[in-house]
Amino acid sequence: DIQMTQSPSSLSASVGDRVTITCRASRNINIYLNWYQHKSGQAPKLLIYNAFTLQPGVPGRFSGSGSGTEFTLTISRLQPEDFATYSCQQTYNTPENFGQGTRLDIK
Amino acid sequence: QLQLQESGPGLVKPSETLALTCTVSGASLNGTYSTGGWVRQSPGKGLEWIANIDYIGHMYYNPSLQSRVTISADTSKNLFSLTMHSVTAADTAMYYCARRPFSIGAFDIWGRGTMVTVSS
């Protein structure tokens, strides 16, 4: 199985800040990496697929980069609605494991 | 627009079988060449992928759960289902169904989830 490790596990930031979340795969997954935003009581929301492709409708302040084993999700200017949990998922092969999640809180 | 809605029992006793259904509305999975999947989140933990079924009917399972779960689809009713046998307290979680379109390798549409508690 390919293990996905996110860092940090939690993060405090302020509106307007730039934040970066890292996801590392235990082996090469090419660009088959997705990012989701998850809020309590709501369905997870796809933000980015294939490492860097922005899902239609997702604000441009979200961006993804990386390939192979290291990936990042960047939010350029945090908005109040961005405080949530973010998870990465590899779809290079099964099981399509997720990272453990990064909780983004308001400082 | 395609929407997904999970349904389930809410409460299941240990050792019993859990049956979940994901009803698809607004379009069909096989008509859009999509894959349906199940993902869960146990309290305080991250998301866990359970299984997928593609538009041809091929099934893919998480090896950690494969011995206890079955995913199936009923294209005539536009739904797909998950059955999990011999549940334990560790299976207490929010269960989500989701859709992956043929064109991208990610779940782009999710249901709101159904909470399942395993308790006697």
Side-chain angles (χ1 to χ4, degrees):
Chain A
D1 296 2
I2 298 174
Q3 304 305 315
M4 308 303 295
T5 304
Q6 288 182 234
S7 60
S9 296
S10 63
L11 175 62
S12 294
S14 301
V15 172
D17 283 354
R18 175 186 178 95
V19 298
T20 298
I21 299 169
T22 298
C23 181
R24 289 186 173 87
S26 60
R27 55 188 175 93
N28 189 343
I29 59 169
N30 200 328
I31 61 166
Y32 297 102
L33 189 283
N34 310 313
W35 289 99
Y36 300 90
Q37 178 192 67
H38 194 192
K39 297 180 181 179
S40 180
Q42 299 183 19
K45 176 183 177 182
L46 176 64
L47 300 175
I48 289 169
Y49 63 92
N50 293 347
F52 50 79
T53 303
L54 198 65
Q55 173 70 356
V58 174
R61 62 181 180 274
F62 290 92
S63 64
S65 64
S67 66
T69 62
E70 186 155 336
F71 303 83
T72 59
L73 171 70
T74 299
I75 310 172
S76 60
R77 292 175 304 279
L78 276 174
Q79 298 299 302
E81 60 268 29
D82 299 337
F83 293 95
T85 297
Y86 294 86
S87 296
C88 61
Q89 180 204 23
Q90 68 84 16
T91 52
Y92 181 79
N93 66 7
T94 57
E96 297 176 352
N97 288 331
F98 290 84
Q100 80 278 18
T102 295
R103 179 173 172 173
L104 177 56
D105 291 330
I106 298 176
K107 185 184 289 184
Chain B
Q1 181 175 346
L2 189 144
Q3 293 184 315
L4 306 176
Q5 176 68 59
E6 304 89 345
S7 57
L11 179 65
V12 186
K13 289 183 169 56
S15 79
E16 292 190 341
T17 295
L18 168 65
L20 300 172
T21 297
C22 182
T23 301
V24 182
S25 60
S28 67
L29 287 185
N30 63 338
T32 56
Y33 304 103
S34 297
T35 290
W38 288 96
V39 175
R40 71 180 181 180
Q41 184 171 29
S42 301
K45 296 190 176 181
L47 298 168
E48 179 181 24
W49 174 75
I50 302 172
N52 290 347
I53 185 165
D54 68 19
Y55 64 94
I56 300 175
H58 294 150
M59 298 161 284
Y60 307 86
Y61 295 100
N62 191 323
S64 68
L65 297 168
Q66 185 167 6
S67 64
R68 298 194 293 126
V69 301
T70 302
I71 191 170
S72 60
D74 186 333
T75 55
S76 67
K77 296 181 179 178
N78 211 19
L79 59 83
F80 61 101
S81 302
L82 183 76
T83 302
M84 180 180 291
H85 300 285
S86 305
V87 298
T88 71
D91 296 311
T92 293
M94 181 71 81
Y95 287 76
Y96 298 95
C97 63
R99 188 279 295 254
R100 174 185 303 164
F102 180 77
S103 57
I104 69 173
F107 292 124
D108 68 336
I109 298 174
W110 295 64
R112 296 181 63 87
T114 185
M115 184 67 201
V116 174
T117 301
V118 179
S119 175
S120 55

